[in-house]
Amino acid sequence: MSKQDVRFSEEWDKEKELNEAPEKEEEPTLQKALPASGKSVLEKNQINFGKSQMTKRLEPSLNWKATVDFKDHKNVLRDTQEERHGGKLERSGTIVSPGRAQLVRKSAEKIEEIISESSSESEEDEEPPDHRQEANADLPSEYWQIQKLVKYLKGGNQTATVIALCSMKDFNLAQETCQLAIRDVGGLEVLINLLDTDEVKCKIGSLKILKEISHNPQIRRNIVDLGGLPIMVNILDSPHKSLKCLAAETIANVAKFRRARRAVRRHGGITKLVALLDCAHNSQEPAQSSLYDARDVEVARCGALALWSCSKSYANKEAIRKAGGIPLLAGLLKTSHENMLIPVVGTLQECASEENYRAAIKAERIIENLVKNLNSENEQLQEHCAMAIYQCAEDKETRDLVRLHGGLKPLASLLNNTDNKERLAAVTGAIWKCSISKENVTKFREYKAIETLVGLLTDQPEEVLVNVVGALGECCQEYENRVLVRKCGGIQPLVNLLVGINQTLLVNVTKAVGACAAEPESMAIIDRLDGVRLLWSLLKNPHPDVKASAAWALCPCIQNAKDAGEMVRSFVGGLELVVNLLKSDNKEVLASVCAAITNIAKDQENLAVITDHGVVPLLSKLANTNNDKLRRHLAEAISRCCMWGRNRVAFGEYKAVAPLVRYLKSNDPNVHRATAQALYQLSEDADNCITMHENGAVKLLLDMVGSPDQDLQEAAAGCISNIRRLALATEKARYT
């Protein structure tokens, strides 16, 4: 114990021995902090309190049902405390021991955390350093005053406890010093202990303090370690609405990290929190509706707030759905209370990342209310509604619903308000996902959203840029929008973004640049800005998605470049890099590279170079695939590569012909066309014709001669002709 602590303890004992009254400056604090009922209690007991409080340690005068010594409480919660601390919990010691027990706990929980927690987990899940006040640190007077009040809590009766709680609430509990003062002297244990009593006033006072101090990440973890969450979950069943509200709000603060969310679920908290949402629909005594409705709405709001915190876990999302939370949340969306709508929409936003929820959201007609609340004046509500639409708009039917309910216009108008970056990120995300539907793109062009999006390509945070570029990538699939982006000066900022490191941003910007490159004038600007070289360099990126997106973007660049062959050859080592990507294990990378090779091979010199780099055996090795997207582009690449030297013969030698014949059994007409063209080129070699005939190609090709696709007709007929010509020549040679 420090010298300062010893001195404080001696002064405390002297005060008791001399029977002194409490200090004068504390009296107005206590009086002010108490509610009206508390003041009457204080007036009745003030004389006794003044005379006897300091003469002897007050013994509990009430028959408290669950008031227990901390040691007993620790035994009751042994499973949730001793395993985590690796030893006895001491009042002023470090609460989370860094010893072996903690390591064992973390290892044991690791697998479940990976399975049950979703990708929306925040940085708060990292264990923060456990700050302790230094014994010789210069601490403010509030620190010692709060510790003094905690001693009253430990030794006083009900009246003293209520007074101490009210006085403690008067301090600025948002300050870390005050929060840690409560913890350092063992106040958290006492406050949690008070939740186990039958005294409603004590519970309310304790929860009010816990609600304030639980904003501190260290305090949150201490509350969980001390077994506070199960007690709070039990309070949710209380008939007192004030208690339920405070318990739910405290749970909302504490459930900011994985272990807390899991504890809420394991102790049945999700079901009880969902039940709170129903309070707004089951208001009793309509004659006193104003008072009761306000309380019911507050209970539901606090329940939604707690569910919002808990919904960052996948397992909790499922628990909310199974408990019937979606219809209740949908019902609360119709309310006019903005403070209720924010946690409700926030919960839906978190849950909408799961496909099961998206289907339920459509069924409950939630999209209509989300669109309606986009027109609210509350920026936070607008943000969460836009974010919920972003999550839900992966589905085409939802995108159509947003348009039908008039949601595209408010989204476009919100683009003009760029001060609130969080809201801007949510709005641009919703526009990105809605732009996947062509009908929505037409509407956005009508609302001048594309020009606004181009203006957001500079001086914005990455989370906004990712969505803006993603939206432009979808919009630029149409010719009119590509021209619009070019005229608005959008090509240069897009090319500038190709040098970033954000994976998602790179995927989106390569798609946007590739879409713009489909227009010759835009392609000329991209080439002048060295955009093609930057795209080619992204083929070296370690992320498969970036590689694939860059390869897809190179295809229109090569198609629309003025001197594509020379441009491609100008990149030192570029062709070898492309060929080596055929060794990838990622199907999307392979398909995109095959598409790029198809365009590269249109130039005879480049075809000769990639042949020397071993493109034929690598393409042949990929032939045994069931992926139709890869089949199509692989067949096109083989068809184009057959036009150099003895590549046709080489494909036969590397056993690529027989697998190609099986492609004709696919259900994709694009695969049929590409395969027929490849077989037509390969059929120029006699050995390949024999292989095709042996594998039943003729019958399959005959069915395709009658196809409405003219290219498929011609390729199938040409291949059959070559096979038939070889058969006739063989028969003629036999009888000659």
Side-chain angles (χ1 to χ4, degrees):
M1 183 180 293
S2 66
K3 294 180 179 178
Q4 200 165 7
D5 289 336
V6 172
R7 191 185 316 118
F8 178 78
S9 179
E10 290 173 352
E11 290 174 359
W12 177 262
D13 293 334
K14 288 179 180 178
E15 285 179 350
K16 292 196 294 182
E17 292 171 1
L18 296 173
N19 189 20
E20 292 179 357
E23 294 178 6
K24 290 184 179 180
E25 64 266 23
E26 292 184 359
E27 290 181 48
T29 304
L30 296 175
Q31 184 76 19
K32 180 181 176 182
L34 284 172
S37 60
K39 289 180 181 178
S40 63
V41 173
L42 179 61
E43 289 167 0
K44 293 177 183 178
N45 294 279
Q46 197 164 19
I47 297 175
N48 291 333
F49 184 77
K51 290 182 177 180
S52 63
Q53 177 66 24
M54 296 305 171
T55 57
K56 64 176 182 177
R57 183 182 182 86
L58 285 172
E59 297 297 327
S61 60
L62 299 173
N63 184 19
W64 291 15
K65 179 179 177 181
T67 303
V68 292
D69 185 77
F70 174 62
K71 293 181 180 178
D72 296 331
H73 187 65
K74 184 185 70 176
N75 291 334
V76 173
L77 303 174
R78 183 173 51 193
D79 292 338
T80 58
Q81 293 180 34
E82 288 188 353
E83 291 179 5
R84 292 172 180 167
H85 299 301
K88 294 183 179 179
L89 189 65
E90 295 181 357
R91 194 172 59 186
S92 60
T94 302
I95 289 181
V96 179
S97 170
R100 182 178 177 185
Q102 185 184 0
L103 296 176
V104 171
R105 167 177 59 76
K106 289 185 177 180
S107 300
E109 293 172 353
K110 185 176 181 181
I111 296 175
E112 183 178 351
E113 287 177 0
I114 293 172
I115 294 173
S116 68
E117 303 304 321
S118 68
S119 60
S120 59
E121 298 296 347
S122 67
E123 68 277 1
E124 290 190 39
D125 289 322
E126 298 295 330
E127 291 284 348
D130 193 9
H131 296 299
R132 290 280 165 179
Q133 299 293 343
E134 295 293 336
N136 57 355
D138 293 330
L139 297 172
S141 60
E142 289 87 350
Y143 184 85
W144 305 110
Q145 291 171 11
I146 286 177
Q147 291 202 345
K148 189 174 181 180
L149 288 171
V150 171
K151 293 183 179 180
Y152 278 113
L153 287 179
K154 290 181 178 180
N157 59 12
Q158 182 200 15
T159 303
T161 299
V162 171
I163 293 171
L165 288 171
C166 292
S167 298
M168 194 178 295
K169 184 69 176 65
D170 260 3
F171 286 93
N172 182 6
L173 297 179
Q175 287 184 354
E176 187 178 26
T177 302
C178 296
Q179 295 165 353
L180 298 183
I182 295 173
R183 185 195 66 175
D184 291 350
V185 77
L188 283 179
E189 296 94 319
V190 180
L191 290 171
I192 291 172
N193 236 13
L194 288 173
L195 299 181
D196 253 347
T197 69
D198 282 340
E199 298 304 320
V200 175
K201 290 181 181 179
C202 293
K203 287 183 177 181
I204 289 175
S206 176
L207 282 171
K208 283 185 176 180
I209 294 170
L210 287 171
K211 185 187 77 170
E212 295 298 327
I213 65 176
S214 58
H215 289 287
N216 186 311
Q218 299 171 42
I219 301 291
R220 285 199 282 265
R221 283 168 170 78
N222 296 152
I223 290 172
V224 175
D225 291 335
L226 293 169
L229 278 177
I231 302 173
M232 294 178 199
V233 168
N234 289 335
I235 292 175
L236 296 175
D237 291 326
S238 170
H240 298 277
K241 294 178 181 180
S242 298
L243 274 179
K244 290 196 283 191
C245 288
L246 288 169
E249 283 189 284
T250 310
I251 290 172
N253 291 340
V254 175
K256 300 289 188 183
F257 63 106
R258 293 186 181 99
R259 190 154 49 90
R261 289 190 283 269
R262 188 166 59 249
V264 174
R265 182 180 71 254
R266 286 179 173 176
H267 290 90
I270 300 298
T271 304
K272 294 179 181 181
L273 289 170
V274 169
L276 296 186
L277 302 181
D278 204 25
C279 288
H281 305 294
N282 295 329
S283 180
Q284 303 293 323
E285 302 184 36
Q288 304 176 26
S289 59
S290 60
L291 177 61
Y292 282 91
D293 287 349
R295 289 181 180 177
D296 291 332
V297 168
E298 183 63 13
V299 169
R301 184 193 72 84
C302 295
L305 204 61
L307 287 174
W308 188 6
S309 294
C310 293
S311 63
K312 295 185 186 301
S313 157
Y314 170 76
N316 285 353
K317 291 176 187 177
E318 279 299 296
I320 294 170
R321 185 179 64 82
K322 291 177 180 177
I326 302 177
L328 293 173
L329 290 168
L332 292 174
L333 267 182
K334 299 173 184 177
T335 183
S336 59
H337 301 280
E338 287 187 350
N339 60 344
M340 165 78 81
L341 288 169
I342 290 171
V344 168
V345 176
T347 304
L348 287 170
Q349 164 204 324
E350 289 290 345
C351 294
S353 60
E354 304 301 326
E355 188 174 351
N356 289 338
Y357 267 91
R358 292 197 290 270
I361 284 171
K362 285 186 295 181
E364 294 291 339
R365 301 180 63 182
I366 289 175
I367 298 299
E368 180 180 355
N369 288 305
L370 291 175
V371 168
K372 176 185 174 183
N373 287 310
L374 281 175
N375 296 306
S376 167
E377 296 297 324
N378 188 300
E379 292 188 2
Q380 190 179 5
L381 181 56
Q382 291 173 337
E383 174 191 339
H384 292 303
C385 286
M387 198 65 188
I389 291 172
Y390 164 77
Q391 295 282 14
C392 295
E394 295 284 349
D395 177 76
K396 183 182 185 303
E397 186 178 347
T398 301
R399 296 194 293 270
D400 293 340
L401 287 172
V402 174
R403 182 180 71 256
L404 292 173
H405 290 300
L408 301 182
K409 189 170 185 178
L411 284 174
S413 64
L414 287 172
L415 284 176
N416 297 312
N417 303 321
T418 60
D419 294 335
N420 187 331
K421 299 304 180 184
E422 290 78 11
R423 184 183 62 178
L424 184 60
V427 169
T428 51
I431 290 175
W432 171 21
K433 295 303 179 182
C434 289
S435 298
I436 298 173
S437 295
K438 291 183 178 180
E439 300 86 351
N440 291 349
V441 171
T442 303
K443 285 290 185 181
F444 283 133
R445 184 167 65 245
E446 178 184 332
Y447 299 140
K448 308 294 183 183
I450 297 174
E451 295 92 326
T452 310
L453 287 170
V454 171
L456 294 173
L457 286 173
T458 54
D459 301 324
Q460 296 298 334
E462 278 192 346
E463 55 268 23
V464 174
L465 287 174
V466 166
N467 297 334
V468 169
V469 175
L472 288 174
E474 297 296 340
C475 293
C476 288
Q477 300 302 314
E478 296 183 5
Y479 173 78
E480 296 90 342
N481 297 333
R482 290 195 287 268
V483 174
L484 193 57
V485 169
R486 173 172 55 81
K487 289 182 177 179
C488 291
I491 303 298
Q492 181 159 354
L494 283 173
V495 171
N496 292 342
L497 291 173
L498 288 172
V499 297
I501 58 174
N502 183 300
Q503 179 185 350
T504 308
L505 179 58
L506 287 174
V507 169
N508 287 352
V509 75
T510 48
K511 181 177 181 178
V513 170
C516 291
E519 199 236 339
E521 291 186 47
S522 296
M523 176 56 214
I525 299 173
I526 293 169
D527 191 19
R528 187 174 71 249
L529 295 172
D530 214 14
V532 181
R533 183 186 62 80
L534 293 173
L535 284 172
W536 214 290
S537 67
L538 288 175
L539 295 176
K540 300 177 182 178
N541 194 283
H543 299 289
D545 291 344
V546 176
K547 289 179 184 176
S549 188
W552 288 121
L554 284 171
C555 296
C557 291
I558 297 170
Q559 289 171 0
N560 294 289
K562 286 186 177 179
D563 189 357
E566 183 59 35
M567 179 188 72
V568 170
R569 285 191 295 277
S570 68
F571 303 127
V572 179
L575 292 173
E576 184 179 5
L577 173 62
V578 170
V579 172
N580 285 334
L581 284 176
L582 291 173
K583 300 173 183 177
S584 173
D585 295 326
N586 186 285
K587 294 290 191 295
E588 189 69 18
V589 171
L590 292 172
S592 61
V593 170
C594 286
I597 287 173
T598 301
N599 288 284
I600 291 169
K602 292 177 181 178
D603 181 88
Q604 288 293 300
E605 289 187 47
N606 290 339
L607 177 54
V609 173
I610 62 175
T611 299
D612 291 341
H613 286 308
V615 73
V616 172
L618 289 172
L619 289 174
S620 301
K621 190 176 180 180
L622 300 175
N624 289 297
T625 179
N626 295 319
N627 185 294
D628 277 347
K629 189 174 185 179
L630 177 55
R631 282 177 165 182
R632 173 191 173 184
H633 294 289
L634 175 60
E636 289 175 351
I638 290 174
S639 175
R640 190 59 71 173
C641 289
C642 282
M643 299 177 185
W644 176 258
R646 60 184 303 276
N647 283 356
R648 291 187 181 89
V649 178
F651 278 118
E653 292 172 350
Y654 284 107
K655 311 295 182 185
V657 179
L660 279 175
V661 173
R662 293 195 290 273
Y663 291 8
L664 297 174
K665 298 177 182 179
S666 169
N667 295 321
D668 188 346
N670 292 320
V671 174
H672 294 165
R673 181 175 59 254
T675 303
Q677 291 171 339
L679 291 175
Y680 171 62
Q681 292 296 330
L682 290 167
S683 66
E684 298 290 337
D685 176 68
D687 290 336
N688 291 342
C689 285
I690 295 170
T691 303
M692 292 178 203
H693 189 273
E694 290 175 347
N695 285 273
V698 175
K699 184 178 184 304
L700 294 169
L701 289 168
L702 280 172
D703 294 336
M704 295 176 185
V705 170
S707 170
D709 186 330
Q710 188 174 349
D711 292 336
L712 176 55
Q713 278 184 16
E714 292 177 359
C719 185
I720 293 171
S721 174
N722 287 340
I723 294 172
R724 180 59 180 161
R725 190 178 296 113
L726 175 63
L728 289 172
T730 303
E731 189 174 348
K732 183 178 179 180
R734 184 184 302 172
Y735 293 104
T736 300

